C-alpha cells in the first residue's frame, strides 16, 4: 500500500505534463468557453423579455430568511412606535394592527411585529430611538400560557435579567374570564417589564372575550392615546383618514398551477403532500367514518374518523386535532351577488409597508372565491373598525350615519353596536343585506375581514387501539337569530356533508395539537373523569387505554366516569361501548340524564352526593381528576365542589384547601380541557 511519502518519488524524473495532456487540457478549455458563451447568451436573451407569469408568494406563516432587527427597521423608516402581538386566533394581531395604524394620527409612525420573528433582546436598545414606545397585545392561551409565537419572548423576559431602563411600554391583554388563568400572560409581562426598569406609559388593559372584548379594547385604546400624548407632549393631528394597508393587483394572464386554491402556506401542498404535518402544513385526511350518535331529537352529534395512515403523525389520548374548514358556498356566493362582483377574478393583496414581515393578509395570488371560502371569516360579528370602513361606502346618508355611530366610542354607539350587531348576531352578509347602499370594494373587504381559523376538537380515541385513525365527537351547531336567520356552525355543518364512500372518500386538512391533558404515567393510579355531553370525548380514549391495560393483565387503578346528557333514549352517546366496559368491571359510571325526571339532574349534583368517593380518589389515594366541557358553568361548579370536599373531608381551612387544589393542578393531578 502506497504511503504519502512514496507517492511523489518520481516527480523530478518526468515532465509535469506530457504532449497528450496538453492537447486534452486545451480541448477542455475550448469546449468550456464555448458552453459558457452559449448559455450566457441564452440568459441575456431571456432577461430581455418581460414575463407576466405569476410567482406565488409565501405567506407569513412560513418563516422568512430576513433580518430580525426591529431597531434597524424602525430607524431606517423613521418610526418610533412598535406593536408586538401574541396571537393564537388572529385577534391579538388585529388589535396590534389597529394601534399601529392609528399612530400616524398622533405623529407616531407605527410598525406591527411578531415577537417570534424579532430579536427581542433589542428591547434594551429601543430607548435609542427618540419618543419610542413598545405596545404589547398579548393573548393568554390554554392553562395560562403564552401563544406559540410569544413563547420565546415570554421565557426570555421572565427567566432573564435584562435592563429595560428607558423603555416605554403599554400592555393590552386578551383573555376569557371563564378560565381560571384570566389574562395571566399580559399581567405577568406588564409586571415584569416594570420590575426590569421599563416605564409604563399607560395602565394595563384586560379584554374579556367571554363578554365584549371589542368594547374592552376600544375603551382602553381611547384612554391610551391621550395618555401617550401627555407623556410625550404631542398632539393629535385630528386627521381620521382611512389608510389602506394593502395594494391590489388583479391578474388577467396567469398560470393556474401558480394560484393558491385553499392551501395554508405552500402552493400545491394538497397535491404534493410532504411531512412533517402541522398547522402550517396540514395533512389531507380521508374521512373513513361519519355516523350519527343521537338516536332521536332535533339535535345532531357525529362520530367522525380521520385516516392518518402514512402521514407519520402521532397522537396521544387527550390531544386535539385541528381542522381547517370551508365557508358555506351559498354564503360566499351571496357576497358576490350583494357586491355585484365576479368572484373568479384572481388577485393579490400586497402590504404597502415594505418593512413588514407580513407581505400578504393570506396566501396570494388566489381568486376572490378562494379567499372568501378558505381564508376569511365571513360569519363572525364584524368589529367596529370594519363598520367604520363600511360607512365610507354607504350611499344612503342614514345608513352611513348608523355605521359611523356604531363605530364610535360614544355610549349611544356602543349600545347600538351591542344590540344591532352582537345581540342580533349579524355577520358581514347580514349587514350588506340590511344596509343595501353599502357597496364596499371586494378587495377592501378581503383586507378587513379576519382570517378563518382552524377548529380544534378533543380526540376521542386512543392510538394504542387506533394508531392509524383519529376520532372526534362533534355536535352540529344550528340556531336561529333574533332576526330569524338560520346560523350554521362553519366547521360542524361542513363536516356533516362529508359522508365517506369507497370510490372517493372526502378529504379534510387536519393536524395534531399536543395537549397537557394526560393519563397518569402509572396505570395503578385511580382516575375520576367528569364529562357531560361531548365533554366525554377525550375520556373515550382514556377508557379505551385503561381497558386495554386490564386485558393485558396489568393492575389498573379505579376508573370512574361522571357522564351527563339530556335523555337516555335521545342523546346517550357511545351507549353500547360504555355498557360493555361496565359489564367487564373496567369502568364505574355515574349517570346524570338531566331531563328524564321533573327536576333537572346534572353531574355536579352527583359529584356533591358522592363527596366521600371524590375524597377517596383525590385525597386518600392521590388519584387524578379530569374535567372536560363547558367552562362558563359546569367547570366552575366542579371546581367549587372540589374545594368544598377537600376542605370538609380533608379537615382543612379554606386557605389550606385552596393550596391543596393548586398543588394538584401544578402536579397535573387536576386537569381541565374546557371551552366557553
Amino acid at each position: 500500500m502506497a504511503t504519502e511519502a512514496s507517492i511523489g518519488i518520481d516527480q523530478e524524473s518526468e515532465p509535469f505534463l506530457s504532449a497528450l495532456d496538453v492537447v486534452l487540457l486545451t480541448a477542455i478549455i475550448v469546449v468550456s468557453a464555448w458552453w459558457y458563451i452559449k448559455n450566457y447568451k441564452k440568459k441575456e436573451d431571456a432577461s430581455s423579455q418581460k414575463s407576466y407569469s405569476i410567482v406565488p408568494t409565501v405567506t407569513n406563516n412560513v418563516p422568512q430568511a430576513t433580518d430580525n432587527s426591529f431597531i434597524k427597521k424602525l430607524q431606517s423608516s423613521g418610526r418610533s412606535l412598535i406593536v408586538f402581538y401574541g396571537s393564537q386566533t388572529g385577534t391579538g394581531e388585529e388589535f396590534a394592527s389597529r394601534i399601529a395604524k392609528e399612530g400616524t394620527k398622533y405623529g407616531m409612525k407605527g410598525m406591527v411585529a411578531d415577537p417570534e420573528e424579532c430579536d427581542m433582546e433589542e428591547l434594551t436598545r429601543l430607548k435609542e430611538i427618540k419618543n419610542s414606545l413598545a405596545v404589547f397585545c398579548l393573548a393568554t392561551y390554554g392553562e395560562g400560557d403564552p401563544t406559540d409565537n410569544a413563547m420565546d419572548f415570554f421565557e426570555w423576559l421572565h427567566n432573564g435579567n435584562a435592563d429595560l431602563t428607558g423603555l416605554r411600554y403599554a400592555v393590552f391583554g386578551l383573555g376569557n374570564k371563564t378560565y381560571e388563568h384570566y389574562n395571566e400572560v399580559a399581567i405577568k409581562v406588564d409586571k415584569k417589564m416594570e420590575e426590569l426598569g421599563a416605564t409604563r406609559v399607560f395602565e394595563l388593559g384586560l379584554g374579556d372575550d367571554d363578554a365584549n372584548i371589542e368594547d374592552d379594547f376600544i375603551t382602553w385604546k381611547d384612554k391610551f392615546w391621550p395618555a401617550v400624548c401627555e407623556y410625550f407632549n404631542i398632539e393629535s393631528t385630528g386627521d381620521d383618514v382611512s389608510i389602506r394597508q394593502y395594494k391590489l393587483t388583479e391578474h388577467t394572464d396567469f398560470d393556474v398551477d401558480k394560484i393558491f386554491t385553499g392551501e395554508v402556506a405552500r402552493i400545491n401542498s394538497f397535491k404534493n403532500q410532504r411531512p412533517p404535518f402541522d398547522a402550517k402544513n396540514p395533512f389531507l385526511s380521508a374521512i373513513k367514518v361519519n355516523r350519527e350518535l343521537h338516536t332521536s331529537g332535533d339535535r345532531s352529534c357525529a362520530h367522525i374518523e380521520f385516516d392518518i395512515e402514512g402521514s407519520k403523525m402521532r397522537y396521544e389520548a387527550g390531544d386535539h386535532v385541528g381542522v381547517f374548514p370551508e365557508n358555506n358556498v351559498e354564503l360566499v356566493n351571496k357576497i358576490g351577488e350583494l357586491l355585484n362582483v365576479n368572484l373568479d377574478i384572481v388577485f393579490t393583496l400586497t402590504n404597502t409597508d415594505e418593512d413588514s414581515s407580513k407581505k400578504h393578509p393570506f396566501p396570494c395570488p388566489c381568486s376572490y372565491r378562494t379567499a372568501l371560502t378558505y381564508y376569511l371569516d365571513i360569519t363572525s360579528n364584524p368589529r367596529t373598525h370594519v363598520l367604520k370602513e363600511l360607512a365610507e361606502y354607504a350611499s344612503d346618508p342614514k345608513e352611513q350615519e348608523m355605521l359611523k355611530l356604531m363605530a364610535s366610542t360614544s355610549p349611544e354607539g356602543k349600545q347600538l353596536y351591542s344590540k344591532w350587531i352582537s345581540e342580533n348576531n349579524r355577520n358581514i352578509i347580514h349587514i350588506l343585506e340590511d344596509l343595501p347602499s353599502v357597496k364596499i370594494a371586494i378587495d377592501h373587504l378581503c383586507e378587513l375581514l379576519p382570517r378563518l381559523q382552524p377548529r380544534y376538537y378533543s380526540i376521542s380515541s386512543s392510538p394504542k387501539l387506533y394508531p392509524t385513525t383519529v376520532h372526534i365527537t362533534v355536535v352540529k351547531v344550528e340556531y336561529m337569530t333574533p332576526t330569524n336567520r338560520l346560523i350554521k356552525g362553519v366547521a360542524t355543518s361542513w363536516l356533516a356533508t362529508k359522508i365517506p364512500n369507497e370510490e372517493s372518500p372526502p378529504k379534510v386538512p387536519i393536524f395534531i395539537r399536543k395537549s397537557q391533558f394526560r393519563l397518569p404515567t402509572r396505570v395503578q393510579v385511580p382516575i375520576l373523569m367528569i364529562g357531560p355531553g361531548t365533554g366525554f370525548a377525550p375520556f373515550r380514549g382514556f377508557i379505551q387505554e385503561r381497558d386495554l391495560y386490564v386485558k393485558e393483565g396489568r393492575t389498573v387503578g379505579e376508573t370512574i366516569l361522571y357522564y351527563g346528557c339530556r335523555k337516555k333514549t335521545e342523546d346517550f352517546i357511545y351507549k353500547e361501548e360504555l355498557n360493555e366496559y361496565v359489564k367487564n368491571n373496567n369502568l364505574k359510571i355515574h349517570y346524570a340524564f338531566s331531563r328524564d325526571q321533573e327536576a333537572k339532574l346534572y353531574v355536579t349534583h352527583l359529584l356533591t352526593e358522592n363527596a366521600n368517593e371524590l375524597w377517596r380518589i383525590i385525597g386518600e389515594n392521590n388519584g387524578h381528576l379530569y374535567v372536560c366541557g363547558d367552562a362558563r358553568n359546569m367547570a366552575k361548579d366542579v371546581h367549587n365542589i372540589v374545594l368544598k370536599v377537600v376542605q370538609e373531608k380533608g379537615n382543612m381551612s379554606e386557605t389550606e384547601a385552596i393550596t391543596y387544589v393548586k398543588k394538584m393542578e401544578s402536579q397535573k393531578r387536576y386537569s381541565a380541557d374546557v371551552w366557553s
Side-chain angles (χ1 to χ4, degrees):
M1 180 178 177
T3 65
E4 281 186 18
S6 65
I7 290 175
I9 289 177
D10 298 323
Q11 281 183 351
E12 295 182 5
S13 61
E14 293 183 13
F16 180 70
L17 293 174
S18 68
L20 180 59
D21 290 333
V22 172
V23 172
L24 289 173
L25 184 60
T26 303
I28 290 171
I29 292 171
V30 170
V31 171
S32 298
W34 172 81
W35 182 88
Y36 175 81
I37 293 169
K38 180 173 178 289
N39 280 275
Y40 180 82
K41 184 69 170 66
K42 277 185 179 180
K43 288 180 181 178
E44 203 171 43
D45 292 342
S47 65
S48 66
Q49 299 173 356
K50 289 184 178 180
S51 174
Y52 295 94
S53 63
I54 292 174
V55 178
T57 50
V58 184
T59 72
N60 67 311
N61 288 326
V62 179
Q64 305 290 301
T66 56
D67 186 354
N68 60 359
S69 171
F70 64 83
I71 293 289
K72 287 183 181 178
K73 290 179 180 179
L74 290 172
Q75 290 173 330
S76 64
S77 58
R79 305 177 206 227
S80 58
L81 170 65
I82 185 164
V83 191
F84 297 100
Y85 64 87
S87 183
Q88 202 74 17
T89 64
T91 306
E93 182 181 0
E94 177 200 307
F95 286 177
S97 297
R98 289 162 68 177
I99 292 173
K101 186 180 287 189
E102 287 184 19
T104 307
K105 182 180 175 182
Y106 300 91
M108 300 183 77
K109 192 177 178 184
M111 181 174 80
V112 180
D114 181 346
E116 192 174 35
E117 298 178 358
C118 297
D119 179 3
M120 296 304 286
E121 292 184 18
E122 285 195 327
L123 284 174
T124 59
R125 294 181 49 214
L126 190 58
K127 59 188 175 185
E128 297 173 10
I129 298 175
K130 184 180 178 181
N131 284 356
S132 60
L133 174 65
V135 181
F136 299 84
C137 294
L138 302 172
T140 296
Y141 163 73
E143 297 297 305
D145 302 317
T147 57
D148 294 341
N149 75 309
M151 182 70 75
D152 290 343
F153 159 63
F154 186 81
E155 291 181 353
W156 167 78
L157 185 69
H158 282 269
N159 296 334
N161 56 354
D163 181 7
L164 298 183
T165 304
L167 171 68
R168 278 87 60 167
Y169 78 97
V171 179
F172 182 82
L174 297 87
N176 189 309
K177 278 187 177 176
T178 59
Y179 297 94
E180 181 185 355
H181 306 279
Y182 174 61
N183 265 314
E184 196 166 291
V185 170
I187 293 169
K188 286 183 176 179
V189 167
D190 180 68
K191 182 181 178 183
K192 188 68 175 180
M193 285 276 189
E194 186 178 43
E195 290 175 358
L196 294 176
T199 301
R200 185 187 296 107
V201 171
F202 186 58
E203 65 187 26
L204 169 67
L206 300 178
D208 180 13
D209 198 35
D210 186 51
N212 189 340
I213 199 168
E214 171 72 8
D215 187 35
D216 294 336
F217 175 65
I218 60 176
T219 299
W220 176 84
K221 181 166 61 69
D222 284 351
K223 294 178 182 177
F224 162 78
W225 283 118
V228 170
C229 289
E230 182 180 352
Y231 184 89
F232 290 104
N233 194 25
I234 57 177
E235 294 181 357
S236 167
T237 61
D239 299 328
D240 196 13
V241 295
S242 174
I243 304 172
R244 289 289 300 272
Q245 186 68 41
Y246 295 91
K247 179 184 69 176
L248 169 68
T249 304
E250 289 189 341
H251 309 284
T252 55
D253 185 18
F254 52 84
D255 183 347
V256 293
D257 290 330
K258 296 179 181 179
I259 305 299
F260 282 94
T261 57
E263 302 92 336
V264 176
R266 179 173 60 86
I267 201 162
N268 293 323
S269 60
F270 291 154
K271 293 179 182 177
N272 305 307
Q273 292 259 277
R274 295 200 299 261
F277 297 106
D278 53 28
K280 298 170 186 175
N281 181 38
F283 175 66
L284 203 57
S285 169
I287 292 181
K288 298 183 72 174
V289 176
N290 189 345
R291 61 182 173 88
E292 179 62 47
L293 291 173
H294 287 179
T295 53
S296 62
D298 57 358
R299 297 182 306 138
S300 172
C301 181
H303 170 84
I304 299 174
E305 298 182 12
F306 298 114
D307 187 358
I308 61 169
E309 188 167 13
S311 69
K312 297 184 179 179
M313 289 197 300
R314 302 287 183 267
Y315 74 96
E316 294 181 62
D319 282 343
H320 303 132
V321 61
V323 177
F324 282 98
E326 298 175 17
N327 282 314
N328 184 289
V329 65
E330 294 179 5
L331 299 182
V332 172
N333 289 337
K334 189 67 176 177
I335 292 177
E337 293 169 12
L338 290 166
L339 298 180
N340 192 28
V341 295
N342 177 8
L343 296 181
D344 294 316
I345 292 174
V346 174
F347 75 111
T348 295
L349 288 179
T350 307
N351 202 326
T352 56
D353 181 359
E354 295 180 357
D355 292 316
S356 174
S357 61
K358 185 176 183 178
K359 301 305 179 186
H360 311 280
F362 43 79
C364 290
C366 67
S367 69
Y368 289 118
R369 186 180 306 282
T370 294
L372 293 169
T373 302
Y374 299 97
Y375 300 139
L376 299 171
D377 183 348
I378 63 175
T379 62
S380 62
N381 303 148
R383 301 195 192 279
T384 55
H385 73 290
V386 177
L387 302 185
K388 179 183 175 184
E389 301 292 340
L390 288 175
E392 300 301 315
Y393 292 91
S395 58
D396 184 322
K398 289 183 179 179
E399 293 181 2
Q400 185 178 66
E401 192 61 32
M402 181 181 178
L403 287 166
K404 285 184 175 179
L405 180 60
M406 287 190 291
S408 74
T409 56
S410 68
E412 297 81 9
K414 290 181 179 181
Q415 186 178 3
L416 183 59
Y417 178 89
S418 177
K419 175 67 177 176
W420 204 77
I421 298 290
S422 301
E423 291 180 23
N424 288 329
N425 201 10
R426 279 185 170 90
N427 59 37
I428 187 63
I429 300 161
H430 304 151
I431 293 172
L432 295 175
E433 286 176 334
D434 294 344
L435 304 178
S437 82
V438 178
K439 300 296 180 185
I440 185 172
I442 185 67
D443 62 290
H444 197 178
L445 181 64
C446 289
E447 176 180 327
L448 291 169
L449 292 175
R451 282 293 298 268
L452 182 61
Q453 298 296 323
R455 270 45 175 181
Y456 292 98
Y457 300 97
S458 297
I459 295 176
S460 55
S461 56
S462 167
K464 297 189 183 303
L465 274 77
Y466 301 99
T468 61
T469 57
V470 168
H471 303 182
I472 61 172
T473 308
V474 185
V475 170
K476 186 178 179 182
V477 176
E478 279 192 0
Y479 59 92
M480 297 295 294
T481 70
T483 58
N484 291 318
R485 289 178 165 108
L486 177 63
I487 298 295
K488 296 182 178 181
V490 175
T492 58
S493 296
W494 175 67
L495 286 170
T497 66
K498 303 295 181 183
I499 307 301
N501 60 72
E502 293 183 2
E503 295 180 0
S504 57
K507 293 187 175 181
V508 174
I510 68 169
F511 61 95
I512 303 299
R513 184 175 74 177
K514 293 298 179 182
S515 164
Q516 297 298 315
F517 206 65
R518 289 282 182 267
L519 280 168
T521 52
R522 294 170 51 246
V523 300
Q524 300 92 336
V525 174
I527 65 172
L528 191 150
M529 304 165 287
I530 304 164
T534 52
F536 168 66
F539 301 140
R540 181 172 180 261
F542 283 10
I543 294 167
Q544 287 174 351
E545 209 155 298
R546 305 268 284 192
D547 180 67
L548 178 65
Y549 294 147
V550 172
K551 290 176 179 176
E552 291 175 345
R554 299 169 70 177
T555 301
V556 178
E558 282 186 88
T559 305
I560 301 171
L561 171 69
Y562 280 76
Y563 176 90
C565 64
R566 292 185 181 181
K567 295 184 178 181
K568 187 176 183 178
T569 58
E570 184 176 295
D571 55 350
F572 186 0
I573 60 176
Y574 301 111
K575 177 181 177 180
E576 292 76 15
E577 291 182 19
L578 291 174
N579 286 341
E580 188 67 21
Y581 292 130
V582 173
K583 179 182 175 183
N584 294 333
N585 294 319
N586 295 337
L587 175 67
K588 178 180 179 180
I589 304 181
H590 296 288
Y591 297 105
F593 301 111
S594 63
R595 303 186 185 184
D596 274 351
Q597 57 282 314
E598 189 173 341
K600 290 185 178 179
L601 179 68
Y602 297 112
V603 290
T604 47
H605 295 139
L606 299 180
L607 196 62
T608 301
E609 291 176 7
N610 297 315
N612 289 331
E613 178 187 72
L614 175 59
W615 177 246
R616 177 169 57 80
I617 296 296
I618 67 172
E620 297 173 2
N621 295 306
N622 290 318
H624 285 221
L625 177 65
Y626 301 92
V627 183
C628 183
D630 168 47
R632 186 177 289 108
N633 298 309
M634 185 274 296
K636 281 187 174 180
D637 291 343
V638 167
H639 189 77
N640 291 334
I641 292 169
V642 171
L643 282 172
K644 185 178 179 181
V645 169
V646 168
Q647 185 178 347
E648 293 179 355
K649 302 299 179 181
N651 295 317
M652 300 181 196
S653 66
E654 183 178 353
T655 303
E656 289 172 334
I658 291 172
T659 302
Y660 184 90
V661 171
K662 283 191 176 296
K663 187 177 180 181
M664 283 183 65
E665 291 173 335
S666 66
Q667 294 174 336
K668 301 299 180 185
R669 288 181 49 227
Y670 183 0
S671 303
D673 182 4
V674 294
W675 56 86
S676 61

